[in-house]
Amino acid sequence: MNADALAAELCLRMGDNALILGQRVSAWCGHAPVLEEDIALANVALDLIGQTKLWLARAADLRGAGEDADALAFRRDVRAFRNCLLVERPNGDFGATLMRQYLYDAFHLPMLQALKASTDDGVASIATKAEKEAAYHLDRSRDLVVRLGDGTQESHDRMQAALDDLWPFAGELTRADETDAALAAAGLAPALDDMAKTYAAETAATFREATLTAPVDAPVRAGGKGGLHSEDLGFLLAEMQFLQRAYPDATW
């Protein structure tokens, strides 16, 4: 790939992660256990959808195929999505949603911080804009994981069960494929080997404080970045894309 094609792929990966996680989190609106969390989760979802628009708009510009952010969000087939498997996991209970959020946030913030030095000015600009929101997301999800992990026996058990279920999917975040290697070589994105060390240190410290234990030698569940997704993503996209696919180019 040339530099523009590589940068477009990076923007799709970042944008698709934000889009799918934003859609998942938004489903809690009106259903969270307390009003404060209902509002907080809705705000997180809005932040992620706002970031999605920036990333997908940049991807569309770089691809130069006459697309826009909406076309990339609503008209691509499931196999064309480049999000990691973690963000498409179902919400589960409140503890599972929080654990999924933390596992992503712990990667997302340092990734954005590194992308501020990207050789693509558009990527660097978006990362700079998104960093403050991502910092808030991480502070919030880390705090709740610790409070619930080190809380009552029931809250601890639920958080440990969520970690046991989701930890294998977190491995994909820092597992480099050929595209990740090319992005690092071009200076467009950081080397994921370096990101893995940062991620391991962050999660280990949080789990220690939360009295939680990450599974040892859990097999990494990967494939999302390469277009191999679960049925869960297909169901989510069927709902999300219905209007655009049923009534293309319609206006209201």
Side-chain angles (χ1 to χ4, degrees):
M1 296 187 198
N2 62 31
D4 282 354
L6 275 173
E9 180 70 14
L10 171 62
C11 291
L12 287 177
R13 293 182 177 201
M14 297 296 294
D16 288 349
N17 281 338
L19 173 61
I20 301 306
L21 186 56
Q23 289 292 316
R24 284 295 193 210
V25 175
S26 71
W28 277 101
C29 187
H31 299 282
V34 294
L35 181 59
E36 181 182 359
E37 286 305 317
D38 201 295
I39 295 171
L41 287 169
N43 284 332
V44 169
L46 286 171
D47 288 344
L48 291 168
I49 297 303
Q51 293 170 24
T52 297
K53 187 173 183 179
L54 296 174
W55 287 118
L56 295 189
R58 180 58 180 161
D61 288 343
L62 290 164
R63 284 157 64 103
E67 305 158 311
D68 60 12
D70 285 342
L72 290 176
F74 296 117
R75 297 188 185 178
R76 276 183 298 154
D77 183 72
V78 62
R79 289 185 175 273
F81 275 73
R82 291 295 180 260
N83 60 278
C84 61
L85 295 178
L86 175 67
V87 298
E88 67 191 50
R89 300 301 298 156
N91 284 338
D93 63 19
F94 187 61
T97 289
L98 289 178
M99 183 59 71
R100 182 189 61 198
Q101 188 70 43
Y102 170 70
L103 291 174
Y104 180 72
D105 293 341
F107 167 80
H108 191 209
L109 177 59
M111 172 58 86
L112 290 174
Q113 290 170 336
L115 287 177
K116 292 193 298 181
S118 175
T119 53
D120 183 275
D121 291 342
V123 168
S125 176
I126 296 169
T128 300
K129 292 177 182 177
E131 180 186 11
K132 184 178 293 186
E133 292 175 343
Y136 161 72
H137 296 172
L138 178 57
D139 283 345
R140 178 180 176 278
S141 62
R142 182 201 289 127
D143 177 65
L144 287 169
V145 165
V146 170
R147 287 165 59 190
L148 292 174
D150 194 31
T152 66
Q153 187 62 52
E154 180 177 359
S155 70
H156 172 85
D157 290 347
R158 285 177 179 262
M159 296 307 291
Q160 184 62 59
L163 179 56
D164 291 345
D165 178 59
L166 294 170
W167 185 246
F169 294 94
E172 183 179 16
L173 295 169
T174 55
R175 172 175 282 194
D177 59 15
E178 291 182 359
T179 299
D180 292 311
L183 287 166
L188 289 163
L192 289 191
D193 286 346
D194 295 334
M195 293 292 297
K197 297 173 184 176
T198 301
Y199 191 72
E202 159 62 35
T203 54
T206 297
F207 296 151
R208 185 165 52 250
E209 188 175 356
T211 67
L212 298 172
T213 304
V216 178
D217 299 326
V220 174
R221 300 288 298 275
K225 293 188 293 186
L228 299 176
H229 298 281
S230 67
E231 290 183 355
D232 299 305
L233 181 62
F235 293 138
L236 186 150
L237 291 180
E239 294 181 357
M240 187 183 82
Q241 297 179 333
F242 172 76
L243 283 177
Q244 279 282 353
R245 289 183 176 274
Y247 307 102
D249 300 319
T251 57
W252 285 266

